[in-house]
Amino acid sequence: MLIRKPGINENLIDELIRTALDRINLRLGVTVLPIELESVAVEVVCAMYNKSQANNEGIKSENVDTFSVTFVDDILAEYETDLNRYLEIKNKQDNVDRGVLRFL
């Protein structure tokens, strides 16, 4: 996975990539990230990086008068629709090749 951001800490980005891939793979129940979801992984890594740099990424709500910030708990929640859609398509593809049993 290639993340292009000037002045980025390579150790930090490597850790974020590993973490994002692990989380996505666990959510999908796979060991290797499907190529169809690489763009989701890049977005997740960027969001994790921005959150680590306090760039307001992942903020769910913010109050100005008392300075209160609430962050999104599950960084993958935003991509849940994409992940579920991938699983649906994969299940349909897996079931296409199944045989049919007919009783006479």
Side-chain angles (χ1 to χ4, degrees):
M1 181 180 311
L2 178 62
I3 305 290
R4 288 177 235 141
K5 201 151 185 149
I8 198 165
N9 179 329
E10 291 295 324
N11 293 330
L12 173 62
I13 200 65
D14 287 343
E15 182 61 33
L16 294 176
I17 289 170
R18 278 193 301 274
T19 301
L21 293 178
D22 287 347
R23 287 183 181 184
I24 293 169
N25 289 345
L26 282 171
R27 183 79 52 104
L28 296 174
V30 299
T31 55
V32 177
L33 181 73
I35 194 167
E36 298 90 344
L37 295 175
E38 285 182 356
S39 61
V40 170
V42 170
E43 288 183 25
V44 170
V45 170
C46 290
M48 292 170 72
Y49 176 78
N50 289 339
K51 186 175 179 182
S52 76
Q53 301 300 308
N55 289 340
N56 300 335
E57 186 78 31
I59 289 181
K60 184 168 40 173
S61 66
E62 183 176 19
N63 295 332
V64 177
D65 55 344
T66 59
F67 193 71
S68 171
V69 178
T70 305
F71 286 95
V72 174
D73 295 328
D74 182 3
I75 203 152
L76 294 180
E78 180 179 346
Y79 308 99
E80 197 68 34
T81 302
D82 296 328
L83 299 176
N84 287 334
R85 183 70 182 134
Y86 170 79
L87 289 174
E88 288 173 10
I89 291 170
K90 184 177 179 294
N91 286 337
K92 283 182 183 178
Q93 289 173 345
D94 290 346
N95 289 329
V96 165
D97 296 332
R98 287 189 172 200
V100 175
L101 178 62
R102 295 180 190 201
F103 293 96
L104 298 175

